[in-house]
Amino acid sequence: ELVRGLYTAYTGMINEQKRLDTISNNLANAATTGYKKENVTSQAFEEALTIKINDASEAYTNRPIGTMSLGVKLGEYYTDYTQGSFRETGNTYDLAIEGNGFFTIAVTDKNGNESIRYTRDGSFKMTQDGYLVDAYGNRLQGDGGDIQIPTNAQTITIDIDGSIYADQEYIDRVKLTDFEDYDYLEKAGDNNYNAVDGAIQKDSVGIIRQGYTEQSNVNVISEMVNLINITRAYEAGQKVIKTQDQLLDQTVNQVGKV
């Protein structure tokens, strides 16, 4: 039981370390536009992990080993997709999505292969050729593909439905993509996502706000409170291990003498 106590404390400390890593990443991205915070769940070890198997003393019959839980393990990592606050910038090509949905971005790797990614980061710029791109030069997609705006246009207006007008002439419409289940999205960097097998697209009901960006949905104060709780839980695990070590020492060196 003492060795089991060591293992229980150890699993708890490992779990807190992983939670600490997640919260640290959230805090590091508190100012990242369009970032969605991550969390990790905890769960008890399944009973299947505490079963004695292939033991001749038990006539090779599987039998549960006691009734005590062996501690905790990591459950699953998940992303909180709730809306972040808006910040007004006044920049023509800063866009924010109010509601569900993602901007659609065409990404080209070093080998020239193109893929589609999705993001809530609407900090776009216009290139010398008139293409709207993100910070890495990836092109924003519209209904007609790469969005390209006349470079000699004096005024650019983007309506709430994503329609783009250059000097009051319609150019294209920003393509928003949404999904039935966000569990089929995987992160690619801090604020981009790839759709994996099983992802089902649906029409986005979000609207676009020109001249705004969506901020990270990380609540710094809440994350700092969680950080303190994790630190205390980790220290508690350390104390448990120290206590168990002392008991083991007494068992071996004192009780054993008798």
Side-chain angles (χ1 to χ4, degrees):
E1 295 300 327
L2 292 176
V3 174
R4 178 179 291 184
L6 286 173
Y7 191 76
T8 300
Y10 157 78
T11 60
M13 293 172 68
I14 290 295
N15 187 73
E16 298 305 329
Q17 282 184 334
K18 297 299 183 182
R19 291 180 61 201
L20 178 62
D21 291 342
T22 302
I23 289 179
S24 297
N25 186 59
N26 288 340
L27 288 172
N29 286 283
T32 300
T33 305
Y35 178 82
K36 301 302 179 186
K37 68 178 181 179
E38 295 182 320
N39 290 295
V40 60
T41 62
S42 303
Q43 65 186 74
F45 275 102
E46 294 92 346
E47 293 181 358
L49 296 180
T50 58
I51 291 179
K52 184 186 292 187
I53 62 174
N54 296 329
D55 191 335
S57 65
E58 302 290 342
Y60 299 101
T61 301
N62 295 347
R63 182 181 68 82
I65 303 175
T67 58
M68 184 184 297
S69 168
L70 286 184
V72 297
K73 70 171 186 176
L74 293 177
E76 66 171 338
Y77 289 91
Y78 67 94
T79 303
D80 180 355
Y81 289 96
T82 55
Q83 179 102 38
S85 61
F86 285 179
R87 182 172 71 90
E88 184 175 6
T89 66
N91 296 330
T92 302
Y93 302 113
D94 278 346
L95 308 176
I97 303 173
E98 183 177 331
N100 295 333
F102 299 86
F103 296 110
T104 309
I105 306 294
V107 178
T108 303
D109 63 20
K110 60 182 180 180
N111 297 320
N113 300 316
E114 186 175 285
S115 61
I116 297 297
R117 288 183 181 172
Y118 307 94
T119 185
R120 297 278 296 194
D121 181 0
S123 302
F124 299 109
K125 305 292 183 184
M126 188 175 75
T127 67
Q128 292 181 346
D129 298 326
Y131 292 104
L132 293 189
V133 298
D134 64 11
Y136 304 99
N138 303 312
R139 294 179 179 179
L140 176 64
Q141 297 298 288
D143 291 341
D146 295 341
I147 295 177
Q148 188 174 24
I149 296 173
T151 56
N152 60 353
Q154 298 298 311
T155 59
I156 304 297
T157 303
I158 302 177
D159 286 347
I160 61 174
D161 68 348
S163 296
I164 304 172
Y165 297 89
D167 294 333
Q168 300 183 347
E169 180 180 348
Y170 178 81
I171 301 298
D172 201 347
R173 187 168 70 94
V174 176
K175 181 179 181 181
L176 295 185
T177 306
D178 202 5
F179 297 90
E180 295 283 354
D181 189 344
Y182 290 171
D183 286 342
Y184 291 94
L185 296 178
E186 65 175 8
K187 272 199 168 182
D190 291 327
N191 53 16
N192 286 353
Y193 301 89
N194 290 321
V196 301
D197 291 341
I200 300 175
Q201 293 187 12
K202 68 176 183 179
D203 293 335
S204 171
V205 296
I207 62 176
I208 292 178
R209 300 294 186 186
Q210 184 182 20
Y212 292 83
T213 55
E214 180 186 359
Q215 303 307 291
S216 166
N217 66 351
V218 174
N219 184 317
V220 175
I221 295 177
S222 176
E223 295 298 290
M224 289 300 296
V225 171
N226 289 335
L227 195 64
I228 294 172
N229 291 335
I230 288 172
T231 302
R232 291 174 176 171
Y234 189 87
E235 291 173 347
Q238 289 178 311
K239 292 178 181 178
V240 169
I241 287 181
K242 183 176 181 180
T243 301
Q244 296 284 356
D245 181 63
Q246 292 173 345
L247 291 174
L248 281 170
D249 178 69
Q250 293 175 1
T251 300
V252 174
N253 296 316
Q254 298 182 25
V255 177
K257 291 181 180 180
V258 178

